[in-house]
Amino acid sequence: MINLADISLISSILDPSLAWIADAGVAVPEKLAAARIVAATDPQDTEIAFVPLFTTEVERISRLRKQLGPHVYFVAVIEGHRAFTSHRLAQLFDAGIDDLLDPSDAAEVALCVARSRAALRRRRLLVGENDELKRAHGTLLAAMNNLPSPIFFKDRDGIYRAVNKAFEIFFGKDRKDILGASAFDITAFPAATTFFEADRKLLAEGGVQIYETAVVRADGAPRYVTFYKSVVQQDDGAIAGIAGAMIDVTDRKETEVRLREAADRDFLTGLPNRRHFLAHAEAQMSVNRSNDRLSFIAIGDIDHFKGVNDRYGHACGDAVLRHVADILLARLGQGHLVARAGGEEFFMMLDCLSFLDATHLLEAVRSAIAKSPFDWEDERLWITASFGLTDVRRDERSLSSALARADEALYAAKHRGRNKVVGMETDFVADRGGI
């Protein structure tokens, strides 16, 4: 048997966060008072509320629950509740009570107080854990917001559930406009489609996903971004969604482009270099062959260039190279390929319909160089160049033979007095034995 002394002992050793909440004049029942339950002085501080009720006050219970809030343990104090039907009891609990007590039964009072305090301890523990989670969430969010890279979390349906400040800035939208939205709501359709397809693949395959794609920033600037994404799993193994980070690699990509261009360009003249010429000319040869078009290869060489270097210095020689390169670009920039092969030598692939047309084109280039004086300090220099021209036979699969013939034709031009164009047409060579 439990007596009132036992109740008083239990109440005295536990935290007395219990209160009687009733209309004025309604006294605390004797057995509840013995359990150290007193009328509430400030209902806002109550954690366990004992409220006297009549059996028909379902609506009042709902009102009280709203007033007390969701965290107060609500004990309805009703004499004779054991006579209630199960349906009636269900109505009371559905309306908002947490427990039910008959104040005339000392044993029930003791058990109810124990249940209430146990529930209170659990709630305090949950509140503490919730507060800790809030602090951890706040710390994590602060850390994320201080990272310069956009970070995000999407659920399985592709809906954004968390983003950091950098993500907001990148897409030019407030957090409230992003959360609950999909990629199609915050960026252009092509990029959103890329995100969607990548997410679908990641959810199907699991693990980690890394890829690069173009994304337009909020200010309209095109950026190249590397995405690092991973599937997020719950404790039970179920997929919660996708977490990801965006690393802007535009500067790196632009550097790579510049390095590739530098690898393919002559730094002095800005023309393509020998490596670039060989690769692109052979590719164009294949295209021309497929289209039943001829290919023409020429080599040009500045006359007496060593003398320019010896007399005026290498700075002047470099300027002469740029001068000739500019003329070549002006005359051959459209539809033709011109490159600096090294030293004072230039390679050309001409887009012409016949050997005669190619010869006339080179004559025009030679003449333009000869008629364009170059001023260096107080002296005017007249620069000339010699050219060797050949066509590519249909059975040739590389440039080596054609370049050798063009070089032989160039040698003939030099031998004949320089400032000349000499051609070595393959049909002519085959039929007549050479130049």
Side-chain angles (χ1 to χ4, degrees):
M1 272 305 275
I2 297 178
N3 57 41
L4 295 181
D6 296 326
I7 298 173
S8 298
L9 178 62
I10 293 172
S11 301
S12 65
I13 63 175
L14 296 175
D15 183 17
S17 299
L18 305 93
W20 174 259
I21 297 179
D23 294 334
V26 179
V28 180
E30 177 186 358
K31 293 179 175 61
L32 288 177
R36 304 288 181 87
I37 297 171
V38 298
T41 55
D42 186 356
Q44 298 297 323
D45 296 331
T46 301
E47 292 182 273
I48 302 175
F50 292 84
V51 183
L53 296 172
F54 298 103
T55 60
T56 58
E57 292 186 305
V58 172
E59 291 185 0
R60 186 177 178 226
I61 291 173
S62 298
R63 291 197 302 272
L64 283 169
R65 169 48 76 193
K66 290 181 181 179
Q67 293 171 4
L68 293 171
H71 301 299
V72 173
Y73 193 83
F74 183 175
V75 180
V77 180
I78 305 175
E79 289 192 25
H81 68 74
R82 289 188 182 84
F84 293 174
T85 64
S86 58
H87 175 69
R88 182 59 176 162
L89 290 171
Q91 284 184 316
L92 296 176
F93 281 91
D94 289 344
I97 70 170
D98 295 304
D99 207 341
L100 194 56
L101 169 64
D102 186 336
S104 64
D105 187 329
E108 186 174 335
V109 169
L111 290 173
C112 184
V113 169
R115 285 196 303 269
S116 301
R117 291 189 181 279
L120 178 58
R121 285 194 298 273
R122 289 193 298 271
R123 287 195 178 188
R124 284 177 173 173
L125 181 62
L126 289 174
V127 168
E129 291 176 349
N130 187 55
D131 289 343
E132 183 63 30
L133 285 174
K134 286 182 178 178
R135 284 193 293 272
H137 178 267
T139 301
L140 179 60
L141 186 59
M144 287 173 57
N145 283 334
N146 280 284
L147 291 174
S149 298
I151 298 173
F152 61 88
F153 172 74
K154 300 177 184 179
D155 63 21
R156 289 177 55 89
D157 298 321
I159 302 301
Y160 290 101
R161 297 303 180 188
V163 297
N164 69 344
K165 192 65 180 177
F167 192 94
E168 298 178 55
I169 293 172
F170 189 95
F171 289 102
K173 294 183 180 294
D174 291 332
R175 183 187 307 269
K176 61 180 177 61
D177 297 321
I178 298 173
L179 301 184
S182 74
F184 292 95
D185 300 313
I186 67 170
T187 191
F189 184 82
T193 301
T194 299
F195 300 165
F196 176 79
E197 294 296 336
D199 289 350
R200 186 168 63 175
K201 182 178 180 182
L202 178 58
L203 289 171
E205 298 178 356
V208 175
Q209 183 185 71
I210 302 173
Y211 66 92
E212 294 181 350
T213 188
V215 184
V216 177
R217 204 168 53 190
D219 59 5
R223 310 299 292 176
Y224 211 77
V225 174
T226 298
F227 279 86
Y228 294 85
K229 299 194 292 188
S230 176
V231 169
V232 177
Q233 292 182 311
Q234 298 173 339
D235 292 339
D236 61 0
I239 295 177
I242 294 173
M246 300 166 56
I247 308 298
D248 191 328
V249 295
T250 306
D251 292 342
R252 190 199 77 197
K253 283 290 183 181
E254 291 176 348
T255 299
E256 290 175 355
V257 170
R258 288 194 295 271
L259 289 174
R260 283 196 298 270
E261 290 179 348
D264 285 344
R265 291 277 167 182
D266 172 57
F267 75 96
L268 180 63
T269 63
L271 291 175
N273 59 18
R274 184 188 191 97
R275 187 177 75 88
H276 178 93
F277 178 86
L278 294 177
H280 285 71
E282 288 198 350
Q284 188 59 48
M285 274 174 50
S286 178
V287 172
N288 289 349
R289 190 163 51 246
S290 299
N291 295 329
D292 199 30
R293 287 177 61 90
L294 295 173
S295 299
F296 300 97
I297 300 298
I299 299 178
D301 188 272
I302 300 174
D303 297 329
H304 304 295
F305 183 74
K306 184 178 182 302
V308 172
N309 272 336
D310 291 344
R311 180 174 180 180
Y312 300 101
H314 288 283
C316 178
D318 291 346
V320 167
L321 286 169
R322 289 191 290 268
H323 170 73
V324 172
D326 289 343
I327 295 173
L328 291 173
L329 273 179
R331 292 285 177 166
L332 302 175
Q334 296 296 323
H336 310 285
L337 177 61
V338 58
R340 183 186 175 199
E344 67 271 29
E345 195 170 73
F346 299 87
F347 285 174
M348 289 148 278
M349 185 174 196
L350 307 179
D351 182 23
C352 297
L353 296 177
S354 67
F355 198 90
L356 183 61
D357 288 343
T359 302
H360 288 164
L361 177 60
L362 276 183
E363 281 289 353
V365 172
R366 181 203 60 75
S367 177
I369 295 172
K371 293 178 180 179
S372 301
F374 175 73
D375 294 326
W376 178 254
E377 296 179 347
D378 296 330
E379 195 166 345
R380 172 160 287 189
L381 308 180
W382 293 92
I383 306 298
T384 63
S386 301
F387 295 87
L389 171 67
T390 190
D391 57 332
V392 179
R393 294 195 304 267
R394 298 182 189 279
D395 61 343
E396 290 181 314
R397 292 295 183 268
S398 73
L399 283 174
S400 57
S401 296
L403 285 171
R405 289 194 301 275
D407 192 55
E408 187 179 346
L410 173 63
Y411 178 80
K414 295 283 190 181
H415 185 70
R416 295 179 185 181
R418 297 182 173 82
N419 191 25
K420 295 188 182 326
V421 174
V422 173
M424 182 181 285
E425 191 172 3
T426 54
D427 288 342
F428 178 87
V429 172
D431 294 342
R432 306 190 185 182
I435 298 178

